[in-house]
Amino acid sequence: MATRGGSRGGATKARAAASAIPQLSWSQVRAAPVVLVTGSEGFLADRAVRTLRDALKADDPSLEISDVHAGDYAPGELLTVASPSLFGEPRLIRVEAVEKCNDAFLADMLDYLNAPADGTVVTLRHGGGVRGKKLLDAIRSGAGGGIEIVCAELKKDAEKYDFAQAEFAAAGRKVTPGALRAITSAFSDDLAELAAACQQLLSDSAEQITEATVDKYYGGRVETNAFQVADAAIAGRHGEALVTMRHALASGADPVPMVAAFASKIRTMAKISGSRGGSGQLAQQFGLAPWQVDRARRDLQGWTEDGLGRCIELLAETDANVKGGGRDPVFALERMIRIVSARGRD
């Protein structure tokens, strides 16, 4: 299974270098006596544990599953659920909230690492923080024969794009880059919603998923309409941008995410403007996907540095106006669209 966990940052890499156990992405989860699931991305952590459960259940349908909350743990509970049954069924013990563990759990789990039960997999979900660090250090040192599944938050657009791409690849479905960009932009704020949207698109009978397919299901999504307005304005199509903006507002769109869509695209253009190098190199340098670099380069045609600077100032002003600083948010949007369509010239 391919890794799609995205960048984990310098701190994660340093921890991986110091760890004596395998550190894997959420998509590489596999059985081990102890499976430590760390990171702030709860959706990916839940999916990793669910994937492991499904794999163990497929191997042996008699799998017994027990759930333990580390914060409400009673002394001896772990030993009880890990004890072999009369028929020796395999066991999966799912421990939640290790970052809130009480002293009893910490003591019992540290003892358990010395002699893990045969045929038993214990998953430990730790969402972050210093509580339970002694246990994490013990597992990472190799005690208990465990592995660590790192579920870092996907913050960059490139990481979310890769995640969506992997959803379609796992299902063996073709999807166009434009469709991936549209769906990622539409659900960039919530990974669970992005995953659900991908699954909805996968239910479509079309052989290839295109921008038209995305529009069929999510054409009214605020963020999608916002980027359509921004794309038209940046390309200099003032009339089209204005009509699309008014349609979006009539459909219930909020001005705030519309300004955010403009800001996202114009700031990306500003990053790329004047930069030299290949798409892959610049993508890595600025935390973007290669397609974003290519798109920004196309968008920059006809723009000047002064125009970009003027529009960045305008965006800050418009953002303040639509958030209550001005009397007419719609007028502020229309003025922003007019100036952006003129590439920063009044």
Side-chain angles (χ1 to χ4, degrees), residues 259 314 317-319 321-322 326 328-338:
V259 177
L314 173 68
E317 180 183 339
T318 307
D319 185 65
N321 285 334
V322 300
D328 191 342
V330 176
F331 174 79
L333 282 177
E334 290 178 344
R335 177 171 177 263
M336 177 186 70
I337 289 171
R338 175 173 58 80

Side-chain angles (χ1 to χ4, degrees), residues 4 164-177 179-180 197-210 213-214 216-217:
R4 294 285 180 182
Q165 189 174 47
E167 294 288 279
F168 294 104
R173 295 289 298 279
K174 295 179 180 178
V175 58
T176 65
L180 280 172
C198 290
Q199 293 305 312
Q200 175 66 57
L201 291 171
L202 285 169
S203 70
D204 191 277
S205 59
E207 181 179 346
Q208 185 179 54
I209 296 165
T210 65
T213 318
V214 175
K216 170 184 173 183
Y217 288 97

Side-chain angles (χ1 to χ4, degrees), residues 81-105:
V81 296
S83 297
S85 66
L86 181 63
F87 299 102
E89 296 93 345
R91 292 174 179 267
L92 172 62
I93 303 172
R94 301 180 295 196
V95 183
E96 285 294 319
V98 176
E99 71 277 5
K100 300 177 182 177
C101 68
N102 57 30
D103 292 340
F105 173 80

Side-chain angles (χ1 to χ4, degrees), residues 116-205:
D118 292 337
T120 299
V121 174
V122 178
T123 65
L124 300 169
R125 172 70 181 118
H126 192 287
V130 298
R131 183 65 178 164
K133 183 177 184 301
K134 183 177 180 181
L135 174 59
L136 269 59
D137 289 344
I139 295 170
R140 287 170 179 154
S141 72
I147 62 173
E148 182 174 0
I149 306 300
V150 182
C151 300
E153 183 180 357
L154 305 187
K155 295 182 179 181
K156 298 178 181 178
D157 289 342
E159 294 171 339
K160 295 168 187 175
Y161 182 93
D162 284 347
F163 172 83
Q165 189 174 47
E167 294 288 279
F168 294 104
R173 295 289 298 279
K174 295 179 180 178
V175 58
T176 65
L180 280 172
R181 290 195 294 270
I183 197 67
T184 303
S185 297
F187 295 94
S188 61
D189 293 335
D190 191 309
L191 195 62
E193 286 191 4
L194 176 58
C198 290
Q199 293 305 312
Q200 175 66 57
L201 291 171
L202 285 169
S203 70
D204 191 277
S205 59

Side-chain angles (χ1 to χ4, degrees), residues 7-15:
S7 174
R8 300 174 188 170
T12 303
K13 291 178 181 178
R15 188 179 68 225

